[in-house]
Amino acid sequence: MSAEIICVGTELLLGDILNSNAQFLAQQLAQLGIPHYYQTVVGDNVERLKQVIEIATSRAQILIFTGGLGPTPDDLTCETIADFFGVPLVERPEIIEDIAQKFAGRGRVMTPSNRKQALIPQGAEILPNPTGTAPGIIWQPRPEITIFTFPGVPSEMHRMWQETAVPFLQNQGWGKEIIYSRSLRFWGIGESALAEKVTAYLNLPNPTVAPYAGKGEVRLRISAKASSEQAAEALITPIEKQIKDIAGLDYYGADDETLAAVVGQLLRVSKETLSVAESCTGGGLGQMLTEISGSSDYFWGGVISYDNSVKVRLLGVNPEDLDKFGAVSATVAEQMAVGVKTRLLTTWGLSITGIAGPTGGTDTKPVGLVYIGLAGPNDEVASFEYRFGTMRGRALIRHVSANAALDLLRRRLLTR
């Protein structure tokens, strides 16, 4: 048995609303051990919605709909489902009473259009909505098909799922096994290169291992199906250790850990401090560091030296070197790192200078060229050149540059 998620709403197709409902439901199905292989987004159109239902009923036994339960003419989910299965809609007086009470509680009078939300397929059970006016349904129009409908509002859908849908599914025998996942995070290695290193693990039956990439990093998701989270952990842990051993320093953390958090913990343990000097990232590196609660223990501050005069006056960059090598150069990156470390009296100084684009590039210094400087104890100073390319776009070049700087410091702290 498997489930299919069907999200209804033209606004989803137009990109006006992020489809977070599908992500939530996918995670919840995994926790219940219910496999699902397809997700569909369809607009507010009766015929296309019927086509989606026909396909879904041929390959899944649990159909979960979100959206299209409102009072307006384009809210078509319930009536289309009923029509597809050849069942009439019936008005449920208890739904009308619930809607009227909710309007009264807000000092308003229920409008006639809201009566539409009381129409559900004959034989369906009401899936209560404690906070909104649109109830859902739980319905088995055929012995092998179970249908759930939810409003599109995420907060309403989440509560209805947890309070009613989950107990129903558990009573049907689901939830005896779960699918539990851990995501391993890597920086400094490409997806294909990492996949080649761990290719022996990519065809395991349980747990499974799958790579995916985004925003400069690569992740490996290890998923196990077991009777409990503890049992799943026992399956995942040895595979996780073996992959970490293979990846070495390219592995930096798991699940929600960020490079900023990992670097911060290393600095806290070593009782060392950090300051940053930024040009093309415009404070993005400092923002990443200060997003971590308690980062004042090790992060003392930074300088956004966007203009060359700031590099000279506040960071002590040699103006002659600026003229000779340019602001985007190894020499200037090193002087920026030393300057901020010296002036803020920290153990480490990190600097970033580059061309984030889309303008400003030349043949010798193209968009995506970035230099990162690192200054440390005992007059240690070094610079590193990156060429992130023009296709990434300004925002991504800035994001990757800041993370690359953190990764450089992480590797240095781990290998000294």
Side-chain angles (χ1 to χ4, degrees):
M1 182 177 287
S2 65
E4 183 155 342
I5 299 168
I6 302 169
C7 299
V8 183
T10 302
E11 67 277 9
L12 296 171
L13 292 175
L14 294 174
D16 294 336
I17 295 177
L18 180 67
N19 190 7
S20 62
N21 285 343
Q23 180 185 34
F24 170 83
L25 289 168
Q27 293 168 341
Q28 292 293 308
L29 289 170
Q31 290 181 16
L32 290 168
I34 299 176
H36 98 278
Y37 307 118
Y38 301 96
Q39 296 178 6
T40 303
V41 178
V42 61
D44 301 306
N45 179 279
V46 170
E47 293 308 314
R48 285 192 283 273
L49 182 52
K50 284 183 179 179
Q51 292 172 10
V52 167
I53 296 171
E54 183 172 7
I55 294 170
T57 54
S58 71
R59 63 191 184 189
Q61 295 72 47
I62 301 172
L63 276 55
I64 305 172
F65 293 81
T66 69
L69 302 185
T72 60
D74 63 343
D75 290 309
L76 305 167
T77 299
C78 258
E79 60 189 81
T80 304
I81 292 172
D83 188 39
F84 178 85
F85 288 102
V87 173
L89 292 171
V90 295
E91 186 176 85
R92 299 288 289 267
E94 60 267 50
I95 296 177
I96 295 176
E97 182 180 355
D98 179 68
I99 296 172
Q101 289 178 353
K102 286 172 180 171
F103 269 86
R106 301 166 189 167
R108 299 163 57 194
V109 177
M110 186 185 81
T111 62
S113 63
N114 283 101
R115 295 182 70 96
K116 178 182 178 182
Q117 294 175 301
L119 295 170
I120 67 172
Q122 187 176 58
E125 297 180 29
I126 298 169
L127 203 168
N129 185 342
T131 54
T133 60
I137 64 168
I138 301 176
W139 187 33
Q140 292 181 301
R142 299 172 186 166
E144 74 280 8
I145 298 292
T146 300
I147 289 175
F148 296 86
T149 67
F150 298 91
V153 180
S155 60
E156 296 179 18
M157 188 270 287
H158 291 185
R159 186 169 175 183
M160 293 165 69
W161 173 266
Q162 296 289 359
E163 293 185 359
T164 305
V166 170
F168 177 89
L169 289 166
Q170 289 174 332
N171 287 336
Q172 299 296 310
W174 292 101
K176 294 180 179 179
E177 284 192 312
I178 65 164
I179 301 172
Y180 178 78
S181 298
R182 176 166 299 131
S183 182
L184 308 185
R185 307 178 71 162
F186 306 82
W187 193 275
I189 186 171
E191 181 181 13
S192 58
L194 180 61
E196 286 183 11
K197 283 189 172 186
V198 300
T199 186
Y201 298 88
L202 299 183
N203 292 314
L204 295 176
N206 190 29
T208 60
V209 179
Y212 56 105
K215 290 191 173 183
E217 75 170 344
V218 182
R219 299 190 187 191
L220 289 178
R221 186 190 66 248
I222 309 176
S223 301
K225 189 170 186 177
S227 59
S228 66
E229 185 174 318
Q230 184 178 9
E233 285 263 15
L235 292 172
I236 289 172
T237 298
I239 303 300
E240 177 184 7
K241 183 182 183 305
Q242 292 167 35
I243 289 175
K244 286 181 183 179
D245 290 342
I246 292 171
L249 282 176
D250 290 331
Y251 167 81
Y252 77 83
D255 296 330
D256 295 329
E257 287 183 302
T258 64
L259 278 165
V262 171
V263 167
Q265 183 58 23
L266 291 171
L267 290 170
R268 181 179 282 115
V269 169
S270 63
K271 294 182 168 46
E272 294 178 319
T273 54
L274 171 67
S275 57
V276 300
E278 304 182 62
S279 184
C280 67
T281 48
L285 176 55
Q287 181 183 6
M288 289 179 179
L289 288 161
T290 54
E291 281 176 349
I292 309 302
S293 178
S295 57
S296 58
D297 291 346
Y298 49 83
F299 179 60
W300 284 13
V303 175
I304 303 174
S305 55
Y306 213 60
D307 187 79
N308 284 348
S309 63
V310 180
K311 295 179 177 68
V312 173
R313 292 199 312 270
L314 294 187
L315 297 176
V317 174
N318 187 331
E320 294 181 0
D321 288 335
L322 276 168
D323 292 338
K324 182 177 180 180
F325 301 106
V328 181
S329 63
T331 300
V332 170
E334 291 178 8
Q335 291 181 31
M336 288 170 63
V338 172
V340 76
K341 170 185 175 293
T342 302
R343 282 155 176 75
L344 273 64
L345 303 175
T346 54
T347 316
W348 297 91
L350 265 178
S351 69
I352 305 174
T353 178
I355 305 169
T359 60
T362 66
D363 290 341
T364 56
K365 292 187 177 183
V367 170
L369 175 65
V370 174
Y371 289 93
I372 296 173
L374 176 63
N378 303 317
D379 298 323
E380 173 187 345
V381 61
S383 58
F384 305 83
E385 179 184 293
Y386 293 86
R387 292 179 180 263
F388 294 125
T390 60
M391 300 302 292
R392 291 176 178 261
R394 181 178 180 84
L396 187 54
I397 288 172
R398 285 154 56 99
H399 173 84
V400 173
S401 297
N403 275 293
L406 290 167
D407 186 58
L408 282 172
L409 179 55
R410 176 186 69 89
R411 290 172 186 264
R412 184 69 188 92
L413 292 169
L414 289 171
T415 56
R416 55 183 171 171

